[in-house]
């Protein structure tokens, strides 16, 4: 029986951050187990057959307001600064998105000013003092017309729930602006790891030296009888850990459909993309209405990779059932109630911590799960 200080389930952002900290700061040994055939969790990226660096599990735009988290990760990567800009496609044309003065001008079909837009919004928004759900949070800012054009259909497709049934925080992720700021996100620091996420994760593992053992293509249950450990860090789905004893939590899954193009094939797209060797005019185009997919991502716009070929990925929301990938916890009242029951079981467990997006059933970004792992490290190292 081999003994480890920690058994870490999951080699994503949260699992590897924790392993790196305990190895380099305390000299403690971890066994990191992942059932996938690669490290990095949902942030994994790789070069596909066309030679294009793509994100396997949907676009991952790193951003943070925390200098601490940025500085922590900067030990393992340099950064490629990106202004993440996306478009929305409706009525046969592209629109600037999130809604801003440029979108407003496209809507009016003429030039305008911030003052005119503010006036227009004041006349159209629905007065709601404290929006309680994702419908209210948008109509209280822009009114019914723009909500129905850009949000209602997208949200229904993505979550298979009416925006009224989703927490305000879901659509509240999207800024509404009256200036010309086209950036999709609002955080201060917006950048991608210069050589990709996977290379950054590999450096985190290298930093651990012999204090880390990484075992891929292995469900942690398969090795429980072969090892001993002081404490488990679990970053998988919390309901899975407890064998769905209260029934499965609701999640949304996804299906990714990649398509690659050579530079010859891209010649006919130049008028649309406006750029040589690109398929579409932005790194991400959202399709809020007719199509079955929610977005098409051409990540080469963001990575800055020099490559004549390109790859686009269409993203189709999919129903979830145990056995499929649980990509999105659902921020809604019924889901939170069920999660609280699982959390009670988790809190009662003595030598296991639940962290990460699925371990805590939170619609968290990458920087937030890194923060969670750093906090858990500080907490446990005081106790253990
Ligand atoms: P994960 O990355 O999910 O890693 C958990 C790992 O545990 C997985 O590799 C899994 O295989 C493994 N595992 C689970 N159960 C077991 C088991 N029983 N045995 C062994 N291994 C197991 N965040 C951003 O900041 N910006 C973005 O633009 C962004 N875009 C996203 C787009 C999509 C489509 C999705 C799904 C997420 C996006 N995120 C984004 C969120 C981001 O992916 C997460 O915040 C982050 O990857 C969570 O890291 P984690 O370590 O908690 O979990
Ligand atoms: N959303 C929308 N229309 C859009 C983009 C987003 O209605 O064009 C809503 C939708 O409910 C989505 C949420 O805002 O799930 C958050 O969007 P984001 O792009 O942050 O989602 P993620 O990248 O996490 O899938």
């Amino acid at each position: 029986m081999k003994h480890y200080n920690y058994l870490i389930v999951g080699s994503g952002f949260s699992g590897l951050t924790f392993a790196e900290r305990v190895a380099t700061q305390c000299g403690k040994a971890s066994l990191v187990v992942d059932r996938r055939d690669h490290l990095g969790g949902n942030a994994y990226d790789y070069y596909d057959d066309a030679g294009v660096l793509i994100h396997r599990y949907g676009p991952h735009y790193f951003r943070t307001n925390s200098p601490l988290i940025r500085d922590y990760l900067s030990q393992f990567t340099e950064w490629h600064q990106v202004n993440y800009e996306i478009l929305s496609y409706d009525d046969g044309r592209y629109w600037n998105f999130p809604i801003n003065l440029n979108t407003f001008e496209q809507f009016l079909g003429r030039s305008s000013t911030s003052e005119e837009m503010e006036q227009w919004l004041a006349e159209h928004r629905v007065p709601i003092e404290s929006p309680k759900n994702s419908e209210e949070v948008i109509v209280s800012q822009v009114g019914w017309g723009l909500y129905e054009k850009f949000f209602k259909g997208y949200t229904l497709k993505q979550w298979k729930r009416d925006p009224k049934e989703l927490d305000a925080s879901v659509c509240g992720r999207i800024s509404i602006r009256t200036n010309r700021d086209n950036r999709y996100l609002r955080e201060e620091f917006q950048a991608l790891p210069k050589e990709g996420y996977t290379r950054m994760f590999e450096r985190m593992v290298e930093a651990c030296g012999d204090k880390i053992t990484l075992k891929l293509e292995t469900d942690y249950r398969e090795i429980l009888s072969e090892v001993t450990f002081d404490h488990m860090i679990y970053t998988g789905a919390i309901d899975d850990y407890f064998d769905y004893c209260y029934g499965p939590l609701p999640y949304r899954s996804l299906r990714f459909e990649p398509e690659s193009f050579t530079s010859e094939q891209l010649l006919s797209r130049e008028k649309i993309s406006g750029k040589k060797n690109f398929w579409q005019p932005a790194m991400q185009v959202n399709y809020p209405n007719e199509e079955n997919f929610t977005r098409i991502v051409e990540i080469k716009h963001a990575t800055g990779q020099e490559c004549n070929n390109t790859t686009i990925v269409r993203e189709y929301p999919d129903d979830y059932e145990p056995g499929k990938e649980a990509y999105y916890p659902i921020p809604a009242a019924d889901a939170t109630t069920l999660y609280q029951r699982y959390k009670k079981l988790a809190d009662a467990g003595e030598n296991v911590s639940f962290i990460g997006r699925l371990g805590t059933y939170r619609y968290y970004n990458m920087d937030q799960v890194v923060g969670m792992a750093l906090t858990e490290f500080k907490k446990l190292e005081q106790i253990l």
Side-chain angles (χ1 to χ4, degrees):
M1 280 267 194
K2 179 125 176 80
H3 183 78
Y4 296 90
N5 299 110
Y6 290 99
L7 169 62
I8 301 180
V9 180
S11 65
F13 261 104
S14 45
L16 288 186
T17 298
F18 190 90
E20 187 280 331
R21 285 292 83 183
V22 292
T24 62
Q25 304 304 299
C26 313
K28 292 204 172 161
S30 300
L31 170 61
V32 180
V33 185
D34 202 303
R35 58 184 172 202
R36 290 177 174 165
D37 63 1
H38 58 75
L39 47 58
N42 284 341
Y44 172 73
D45 55 14
Y46 70 108
Y47 289 87
D48 67 9
D49 291 343
V52 184
L53 177 64
I54 65 165
H55 297 179
R56 172 162 307 169
Y57 304 99
H60 277 69
Y61 308 134
F62 187 81
R63 76 281 203 147
T64 189
N65 283 326
S66 161
L68 190 136
I69 291 166
R70 180 203 59 206
D71 291 348
Y72 169 68
L73 292 174
S74 301
Q75 300 176 80
F76 313 106
T77 187
E78 289 179 32
W79 299 97
H80 168 67
Q81 306 288 331
V82 200
N83 275 345
Y84 301 116
E85 291 195 358
I86 77 153
L87 296 168
S88 189
Y89 188 86
D90 185 45
D91 276 342
R93 60 161 297 174
Y94 294 104
W95 302 82
N96 283 105
F97 195 83
I99 296 169
N100 63 24
L101 180 55
N102 297 322
T103 326
F104 186 60
E105 290 184 336
Q106 290 158 354
F107 191 62
L108 294 179
R110 62 169 170 82
S111 60
S112 180
T113 60
S114 296
E115 292 71 31
E116 188 188 9
M117 184 174 177
E118 276 154 23
Q119 176 69 29
W120 188 95
L121 291 176
E123 285 161 17
H124 288 80
R125 66 169 66 103
V126 181
I128 301 171
E129 217 166 90
S130 30
K132 285 183 299 298
N133 58 54
S134 272
E135 179 184 276
E136 290 188 359
V137 82
I138 301 300
V139 297
S140 65
Q141 295 182 83
V142 300
W144 292 105
L146 291 176
Y147 161 73
E148 272 156 21
K149 186 174 180 62
F150 292 115
F151 290 90
K152 190 173 181 183
Y154 188 105
T155 301
L156 275 167
K157 256 194 278 191
Q158 168 72 9
W159 301 97
K160 216 183 187 181
R161 289 194 180 211
D162 193 289
K164 279 199 280 287
E165 296 167 41
L166 292 166
D167 287 358
S169 60
V170 176
C171 285
R173 285 164 68 90
I174 310 297
S175 302
I176 309 286
R177 306 187 180 113
T178 54
N179 59 20
R180 293 192 191 277
D181 184 354
N182 282 327
R183 288 171 310 159
Y184 193 47
L185 308 171
R186 34 171 99 106
E187 286 82 358
E188 269 164 40
F189 181 75
Q190 306 190 10
L192 290 174
K194 208 170 203 162
E195 295 165 73
Y197 288 101
T198 299
R199 189 66 199 107
M200 180 187 73
F201 291 129
E202 285 167 355
R203 290 213 185 90
M204 290 172 83
V205 171
E206 285 160 18
C208 298
D210 63 359
K211 297 293 178 200
I212 191 168
T213 307
L214 185 59
K215 205 164 164 49
L216 299 175
E217 294 182 88
T218 308
D219 192 296
Y220 80 96
R221 295 171 186 96
E222 293 166 29
I223 49 94
L224 283 180
S225 58
E226 297 161 22
V227 296
T228 55
F229 52 90
D230 301 326
H231 195 86
M232 182 193 292
I233 301 290
Y234 181 82
T235 76
I238 187 167
D239 53 346
D240 184 2
Y241 181 89
F242 290 111
D243 293 325
Y244 309 99
C245 63
Y246 299 133
L249 282 159
Y251 299 92
R252 282 300 273 165
S253 197
L254 295 170
R255 190 164 54 79
F256 301 101
E257 215 176 78
E259 192 176 359
S260 296
F261 300 89
T262 61
S263 76
E264 291 75 43
Q265 290 169 319
L266 289 168
L267 284 175
S268 62
R269 295 287 304 183
E270 264 179 43
K271 263 199 194 131
I272 297 168
S273 69
K275 259 185 173 178
K276 202 168 154 41
N277 297 335
F278 283 89
W279 189 85
Q280 65 181 20
M283 67 172 192
Q284 177 176 319
V285 178
N286 288 357
Y287 288 80
N289 293 312
E290 283 79 22
E291 294 77 4
N292 290 332
F293 46 85
T294 47
R295 52 191 179 187
I296 301 181
V297 173
E298 187 175 19
I299 203 70
K300 198 176 81 165
H301 281 281
T303 57
Q305 186 193 0
E306 298 281 341
C307 179
N308 291 343
N309 297 340
T310 199
T311 299
I312 60 164
V313 182
R314 291 185 179 81
E315 203 169 302
Y316 294 83
D318 199 6
D319 291 343
Y320 167 80
E321 62 196 59
K324 276 189 183 175
E325 291 287 355
Y327 288 115
Y328 288 87
I330 301 190
D334 58 310
T336 308
T337 307
L338 182 53
Y339 165 67
Q340 288 304 334
R341 296 185 71 194
Y342 280 112
K343 184 168 183 304
K344 261 195 192 150
L345 293 181
D347 290 345
E350 281 197 349
N351 69 341
V352 51
S353 302
F354 293 79
I355 61 167
R357 174 149 146 148
L358 297 177
T360 60
Y361 196 73
R362 284 189 227 178
Y363 185 8
Y364 261 12
N365 292 327
M366 296 177 278
D367 61 327
Q368 294 171 301
V369 305
V370 171
M372 208 190 294
L374 294 175
T375 304
E376 191 63 21
F377 159 67
K378 279 205 188 120
K379 190 182 110 192
L380 285 181
E381 281 307 319
Q382 276 168 10
I383 308 170
L384 297 178

